[in-house]
Amino acid sequence: MDAVRVALLREVLAGTEWLGATRHFAGTLRGSVVSHGGGLLLVGTPEYEPWHLAAHLVDEAAWSGTPELAPTLVRHDARPTDPAHLAVGLGRLEAARRGETLLVVAPGEPPAALLERVSDARRAGATLLSLGPEAGELPALAHEVLPVPDGSELDLDTVQHLVSAAAGENALPARRGRRRFRDRLSRLADLLTAPPPTRW
């Protein structure tokens, strides 16, 4: 889905909760990886690997000048003979540590073996984000959840497009309400260090 289609989709979704929810989730994702200098791990289930989200995040990382958004796709059936960017297996989750962000994308409750690895990564200090199931063990473990329940207006693939596009935005919408001093200071630092706007 290209930028024009995402823009049209956002117009269609204006007034729904999806825009705010995907932007908030994307802001959490971006804030986590940028504040720690990267280390984004992306994993799905054996039946559902988030290839497209990985590709879109790589694109958004390049276009937005935010290399921290480029994920490492962790695969269930990775083989040493695969290309390097596709050869990272589940053992990488065991090495997850504080400062890394783990994004789990699943259409339903992941298998117990994956949940155990995800839980271990969280205990080791990784920030855990969940995109998919509304209830169950995965959302209960996660620091931030964007539920995409069965029968919702949008499917999981479409929501991933909205999240990746929002994560790459240079200025995510500010949250309403009172912000902490640290949030305001961080926003000011971002504004002061941002490159000047391009003029055509």
Side-chain angles (χ1 to χ4, degrees):
M1 188 178 294
D2 58 29
V4 173
R5 289 182 181 162
V6 169
L8 290 173
L9 180 58
R10 285 176 170 172
E11 278 186 37
V12 170
L13 294 173
T16 70
E17 293 180 6
W18 283 109
L19 286 186
T22 53
R23 281 188 162 139
H24 172 77
F25 188 83
T28 301
L29 171 63
R30 181 177 173 132
S32 179
V33 297
V34 169
S35 64
H36 293 297
L40 174 58
L41 304 174
L42 177 61
V43 68
T45 65
E47 299 78 25
Y48 186 93
E49 290 192 325
W51 301 87
H52 281 98
L53 180 57
H56 285 297
L57 284 172
V58 167
D59 289 344
E60 293 295 339
W63 294 333
S64 67
T66 313
E68 299 90 349
L69 282 174
T72 297
L73 180 62
V74 178
R75 301 184 58 228
H76 291 263
D77 294 321
R79 297 179 298 270
T81 55
D82 289 334
H85 67 290
L86 300 177
V88 179
L90 291 176
R92 178 61 180 87
L93 298 182
E94 295 169 9
R97 294 291 176 258
R98 182 171 307 283
E100 292 186 304
T101 302
L102 173 57
L103 173 55
V104 182
V105 181
E109 184 74 357
L114 177 59
L115 285 171
E116 185 176 335
R117 290 174 188 257
V118 166
S119 178
D120 289 345
R122 180 188 160 123
R123 274 197 299 275
T127 300
L128 176 59
L129 307 179
S130 165
L131 180 56
E134 184 174 26
E137 194 172 339
L138 176 60
L141 282 170
H143 294 98
E144 187 75 33
V145 178
L146 180 55
V148 187
D150 287 337
S152 62
E153 303 90 347
L154 301 181
D155 63 15
L156 187 58
D157 289 335
T158 304
V159 171
Q160 290 175 69
H161 284 293
L162 291 169
V163 167
S164 61
E169 292 176 347
N170 282 323
L172 290 167
R175 285 193 202 175
R176 300 227 180 250
R178 191 178 175 119
R179 292 186 297 167
R180 296 179 306 167
F181 174 74
R182 190 168 68 177
D183 295 332
R184 293 194 309 266
L185 189 60
S186 174
R187 171 103 174 105
L188 178 61
D190 288 344
L191 289 172
L192 292 175
T193 58
T198 305
R199 299 193 188 276
W200 301 100

